[in-house]
Amino acid sequence: MPELFFGGARGGGKTDFLLGDFLQETYLGGAWRGILFRRTYGELEEVQNRAQQLFAPLGAVYKASDRTWRFQGGSVLKLRYLERAADAARYQGHQYTWIGWDELTNWPDDVAYKMLMACLRSAHGIKHKRIRASGNPGGAGHQWVKRRFIDPAPAGYQLLQDELSRHPRIFIPSSVRDNAILTENDPDYVERLKDVGSKELVRAWLEGDWNIIMGAFFDRWSSKMVIKPRALPSHWTRFRAFDWGSARPFSVGWWAVSDGELEGLPKNALVRYREWYGSNGNPNVGLKMDAESVARGILAKEAKDETIHYSVADPAIFAKDGGPSIGERMAREGVRFKPADNRSRVGGWDQMRQRMVGEDGVPMLYCFDTCIDSIRTIPSLQHDESRPEDLDTSAEDHAADEWRYALMSRPYLRPKAAVKADGLLQLPTLDEMWAQQQRVTVHRI
């Protein structure tokens, strides 16, 4: 099988699978050349520790200076870390008969993965050249890995064909039960996992459920927020929000403010009723359209009698760099934006969470189920490891940014009774006081 992804549950022996898969053809000698990637150097050390346990007893020798295992007969396995997609260019011209990726979901997009496919070749006519990868649900690359390997056949074990190359690939689900050594030597492992988080998190870890997003930044996202398209009153305030992108996708959202007259849509709830996501169909890859074409496309998607009361966009589109800004060029085509409130990303994410929570279990934020790219990307976004209050910007966050711009133009504060039933004064929380200050600040502009 040229391409195989082994993934799902924690403790399924995925690193052992990769190392063992490479070993199968070491009898071919110097013609068998492999390379195994992890995202960071620290993660690579974990792989090396396990490789030492498996390879050294077989007579293989590790040369630390170039992080390479050399086997009797001449086979080699390089251990490398690849932090950025651009780093993959260093391997142009290389040739390997085996390429491995450990924890594939740590890479935010498929750029490096696909680029290095060109290195899978052999001058010796090796027939069993292959790519092997492993991973768990979650991580910055959850969406693209799920889309490539899991969505076409969620249960796995089904042969898939690439739409362009026609090359076959397959997903093999992993389970903690696959790792007999772990369960025998550490019989309490599964029970300990059950104590580390929510039921959903434990299910993702133990069962490899790819529909549960581990470490999701927007853990308050709910299916109740996704509604069927319906006619919205023409007198509702409507506005656009926009996040620019060229090589990466742009995101345009059309929003309406509920006045409460439609059942199921509370007063002041925001409804995203139309989406245009500038992607070529591949995760996190844009259309490379110019500003004028995007502006004309926006107008073409609107009804002739549709009134747009205002539009907000990423302030970066108003930057001038030797000529008219992107915002100016779009304005010449009849699409005028004002700079969105981008002073506090964390404050914007808090606005999204507040509206997701809503009032008495009823969200104050909705989108039509036709907003497929928002629904695809926003629930799976992860925390930034170095700044947990923010999301990981290396992931596909363009729709989320556009939502943030929209919500910061309509600041929201959940109502709260000033006095409890027992008569005690209920003071606002720090988050509520911050949000109220933001509302006052916005109204002063």
Side-chain angles (χ1 to χ4, degrees):
M1 177 59 59
E3 185 181 1
L4 184 150
F5 177 73
F6 180 54
R10 290 175 69 94
K14 293 181 287 295
T15 301
D16 283 12
F17 155 73
L18 292 172
L19 297 174
D21 190 271
F22 173 80
L23 279 174
Q24 292 182 71
E25 264 71 42
T26 52
Y27 69 87
L28 294 172
W32 188 247
R33 295 172 49 81
I35 187 166
L36 177 57
F37 292 104
R38 283 296 298 259
R39 178 86 190 275
T40 67
Y41 180 77
E43 295 167 342
L44 191 66
E45 288 185 323
E46 297 176 12
V47 177
Q48 164 54 17
N49 290 338
R50 185 56 178 156
Q52 182 71 35
Q53 297 171 354
L54 296 177
F55 293 167
L58 301 177
V61 177
Y62 181 67
K63 188 176 180 181
S65 61
D66 60 1
R67 297 190 297 275
T68 300
W69 279 94
R70 301 184 185 279
F71 295 79
Q72 295 177 359
S75 297
V76 298
L77 176 64
K78 299 178 180 181
L79 304 182
R80 297 291 186 267
Y81 68 96
L82 196 67
E83 202 156 0
R84 300 176 302 121
D87 296 336
R90 298 199 306 258
Y91 298 93
Q92 288 183 351
H94 289 210
Q95 55 178 314
Y96 301 99
T97 53
W98 188 94
I99 299 176
W101 299 83
D102 200 13
E103 299 297 346
L104 188 60
T105 49
N106 285 351
W107 281 271
D109 55 45
D110 63 357
V111 174
Y113 183 82
K114 287 187 173 180
M115 187 180 299
L116 284 164
M117 282 182 167
C119 296
L120 190 70
R121 59 184 186 269
S122 171
H124 300 280
I126 299 298
K127 294 182 179 180
H128 303 299
K129 301 181 297 294
R130 54 187 181 266
I131 296 172
R132 296 292 182 259
S134 72
N136 297 317
H142 176 97
Q143 280 294 340
W144 78 262
V145 173
K146 182 173 181 285
R147 185 171 181 174
R148 183 174 183 85
F149 293 102
I150 288 82
D151 286 346
Y157 302 103
Q158 182 177 327
L159 194 64
L160 309 172
Q161 265 195 337
D162 190 271
E163 294 179 358
L164 297 177
S165 69
R166 313 307 295 172
H167 289 165
R169 61 175 177 265
I170 196 168
F171 161 51
I172 304 296
S174 72
S175 164
V176 68
R177 300 169 189 84
D178 298 326
N179 194 343
I181 296 176
L182 174 64
T183 54
E184 181 179 342
N185 294 338
D186 192 357
D188 297 327
Y189 177 74
V190 171
E191 293 305 315
R192 288 201 306 276
L193 276 186
K194 292 180 180 179
D195 294 331
V196 300
S198 66
K199 292 180 179 179
E200 291 77 13
L201 178 61
V202 171
R203 195 167 89 233
W205 279 0
L206 289 180
E207 301 176 19
D209 190 338
W210 288 82
N211 292 315
I212 300 296
I213 311 299
M214 296 193 307
F217 189 80
F218 295 111
D219 55 357
R220 297 306 184 95
W221 178 280
S222 167
S223 59
K224 293 187 291 186
M225 296 166 47
V226 181
I227 60 176
K228 294 292 183 184
R230 59 196 296 188
L232 302 178
S234 59
H235 64 270
W236 283 12
T237 297
R238 297 177 186 238
F239 64 97
R240 310 183 194 102
F242 177 57
D243 183 61
W244 168 256
S246 178
R248 297 299 188 190
F250 60 77
S251 181
V252 188
W254 285 260
W255 298 80
V257 184
S258 172
D259 65 0
E261 72 176 64
L262 290 185
E263 184 179 358
L265 296 176
K267 185 177 181 179
N268 294 322
L270 295 185
V271 183
R272 191 175 189 267
Y273 62 92
R274 185 186 298 129
E275 172 181 85
W276 185 21
Y277 194 72
S279 167
N280 71 355
N282 294 313
N284 214 15
V285 179
L287 294 174
K288 295 185 178 179
M289 294 175 62
D290 58 63
E292 290 80 5
S293 297
V294 174
R296 290 192 292 269
I298 289 173
L299 294 176
K301 294 180 182 299
E302 296 174 353
K304 291 183 179 180
D305 58 349
E306 187 172 359
T307 300
I308 303 297
H309 293 85
Y310 66 90
S311 301
V312 292
D314 179 357
I317 73 167
F318 300 99
K320 294 185 178 181
D321 186 16
S325 68
I326 292 170
E328 287 177 299
R329 290 163 58 193
M330 296 183 76
R332 290 175 181 176
E333 299 294 329
V335 179
R336 293 173 174 81
F337 291 100
K338 64 179 182 179
D341 184 350
N342 198 31
R343 291 169 297 175
S344 171
R345 289 173 54 85
V346 174
W349 303 139
D350 181 69
Q351 278 289 309
M352 288 182 68
R353 288 197 183 93
Q354 284 203 62
R355 283 189 175 273
M356 288 176 181
V357 173
E359 303 169 16
D360 300 322
V362 179
M364 294 295 288
L365 183 62
Y366 298 87
C367 70
F368 285 1
D369 62 12
T370 51
C371 299
I372 57 175
D373 286 292
S374 290
I375 298 167
R376 175 179 63 85
T377 59
I378 292 176
S380 65
L381 292 170
Q382 305 280 303
H383 292 266
D384 186 323
E385 291 184 359
S386 61
R387 191 175 182 232
E389 297 83 4
D390 202 354
L391 58 77
D392 183 353
T393 57
S394 66
E396 196 170 355
D397 62 347
H398 319 292
D401 279 336
E402 176 247 301
W403 282 47
R404 175 166 58 87
Y405 301 147
L407 270 58
M408 289 299 282
S409 77
R410 315 289 301 189
Y412 168 75
L413 181 64
R414 291 198 306 274
K416 193 168 188 177
V419 180
K420 287 185 174 180
D422 58 11
L424 296 177
L425 179 65
Q426 180 66 47
L427 297 175
T429 66
L430 290 174
D431 283 345
E432 290 168 343
M433 287 190 288
W434 178 91
Q436 179 61 38
Q437 177 61 32
Q438 289 295 302
R439 174 179 288 183
V440 171
T441 303
V442 169
H443 285 173
R444 284 174 179 169
I445 293 177

